Amino acid sequence: MAARVPAPGPVRDPADDLPDGLLVADAEARVVTFNAAARRMTGIAAPDAIGRDFRDVLPLHDAEGRDWWKCLDPYGGLSTRSRHPEQTLFRPGGAELLVTAAYRRDAEGRVERFTVSLRDAQQRARRERDRADLVSTVAHELRSPLTSVKGFTATLLAKWHRFNDDQKRVMLETVNADADRVTRLITELLDVSRIEAGRLEMRRQVVDLAGEVRKVIAGRVAAGEPEDRFRFEARGELPEMWLDPDKVDQILGNLVENAVRHGAGTVTIVVEPDAHKEGAAVSVRDEGEGIPPEAVQRVFRQFWRGPGGNRRGGTGLGLYIVKGLVEAHGGVITVRRAPGGGAEFRFTVPAGAPDYAV
């Protein structure tokens, strides 16, 4: 008895894997390709697009309301045209699209294929708003410390002999603290830039996570926090952890600072093996009000601040950077309600391998 050959499944169009919308028209201006992204952006189903004139499927207008395809005349215009650069166009309902187009011509210059690429303009608008927010935040955060530095140094230079040593020390300590604040802001901005560009460099080496936590706590105590504000728990034996120690310090430092600034009561840090015993899990808990359920999805976005947060409470970039650093290690970070109330930030990182390992 012959083996049954399974019926072939539906053939998937490779164009559906593209992130941008794609419309391809043939020599007769009929649509032959209309990929998934184009269908999602326009709300037009493939059967309603394939085989129809592309100008009917995708009517577009410029900012002055002119029919773009009549102005462009793709099939009757200059035969030397090969492409059109990206520009903003509008669908009849007002939806904004970023559109590029390209031609494939035969030996006599006639159009064989006309390809239109579509991108959602809302994504670009969001990125532009994010950049504007970043510029506004940077300007605000830099103004205050730089004004302080300028004021104190100008005063000291002009009236040095009028102040005693204690007064000079106070002024110089203020200048030093404000300079540190500017340095931290610049470091955060560089981290954001590297995370967005995917250019974070990892310098892995064996890291003692428990030791790193103790170091962060000791730093907070040395800075004036009461020692009994912190509790550390190490549970179980960890595998050899190959991590970037500087970035681990930054992750732990930001999470502990967030718990101290926005939480209340005791800050508990727990280090333990992850669920699969192949890495480590670190939890940072506080006993404050916690994260409102409606805010959980926004916690790791740029410029998010906790309940009652304000500009003096930081730039709102710390948790965004933490998420980027954890993911650069191949890990995951989540936030939930802590067992005793408050917020619990928990991240897992795999044991990893040295950078020179094959």
Side-chain angles (χ1 to χ4, degrees), residues 5-159:
V5 178
V11 177
R12 179 177 175 81
D13 188 344
D16 287 341
D17 296 329
L18 296 174
D20 295 336
L22 180 69
L23 179 152
V24 180
D26 63 12
E28 304 299 326
R30 293 173 302 208
V31 176
V32 294
T33 298
F34 197 68
N35 75 344
R39 299 194 294 270
R40 184 177 64 254
M41 291 180 196
T42 63
I44 299 172
D48 297 329
I50 301 299
R52 294 178 57 201
D53 190 297
F54 77 95
R55 291 160 287 204
D56 296 331
V57 173
L58 188 67
L60 293 172
H61 300 83
D62 63 15
E64 298 180 5
R66 295 172 298 194
D67 186 318
W68 180 244
W69 300 127
K70 287 183 178 179
C71 297
L72 197 64
D73 191 14
Y75 287 77
L78 294 173
S79 61
T80 56
R81 293 183 300 185
S82 61
R83 64 182 300 274
H84 297 284
E86 184 177 81
Q87 52 196 301
T88 301
L89 298 173
F90 301 87
R91 297 186 60 226
E96 189 175 349
L97 294 173
L98 301 172
V99 181
T100 56
Y103 300 83
R104 191 178 78 186
R105 299 179 182 274
D106 61 18
E108 297 180 4
R110 292 177 300 216
V111 177
E112 290 183 331
R113 284 283 190 275
F114 183 59
T115 302
V116 181
S117 178
L118 311 171
R119 296 176 61 198
D120 187 354
Q122 292 181 352
Q123 294 181 2
R124 173 175 287 187
R126 283 194 294 270
R127 287 196 297 269
E128 291 175 350
R129 285 195 298 271
D130 287 344
R131 292 191 187 102
D133 288 343
L134 185 60
V135 170
S136 175
T137 298
V138 170
H140 181 91
E141 294 293 331
L142 285 175
R143 182 186 297 122
S144 177
L146 290 178
T147 299
S148 172
V149 168
K150 175 63 177 175
F152 279 119
T153 53
T155 301
L156 286 170
L157 288 171
K159 303 177 181 180

Side-chain angles (χ1 to χ4, degrees), residues 266-347:
T266 302
V267 176
T268 302
I269 303 100
V270 179
V271 177
E272 58 191 338
D274 67 5
H276 303 290
K277 310 293 184 184
E278 296 176 352
V282 180
S283 302
V284 180
R285 304 167 181 162
D286 64 68
E287 298 175 345
E289 297 180 359
I291 307 295
E294 65 275 10
V296 167
Q297 299 299 320
R298 304 193 302 271
V299 165
F300 297 106
R301 294 181 185 175
Q302 293 183 25
F303 312 117
W304 183 86
R305 294 179 177 87
N310 53 52
R311 286 191 179 273
R312 295 296 298 176
T315 60
L317 296 173
L319 292 176
Y320 173 83
I321 292 171
V322 164
K323 182 174 185 289
L325 296 179
V326 169
E327 291 178 347
H329 281 90
V332 176
I333 185 167
T334 58
V335 60
R336 62 184 181 183
R337 187 166 184 81
E344 176 183 342
F345 287 86
R346 178 182 174 88
F347 69 90

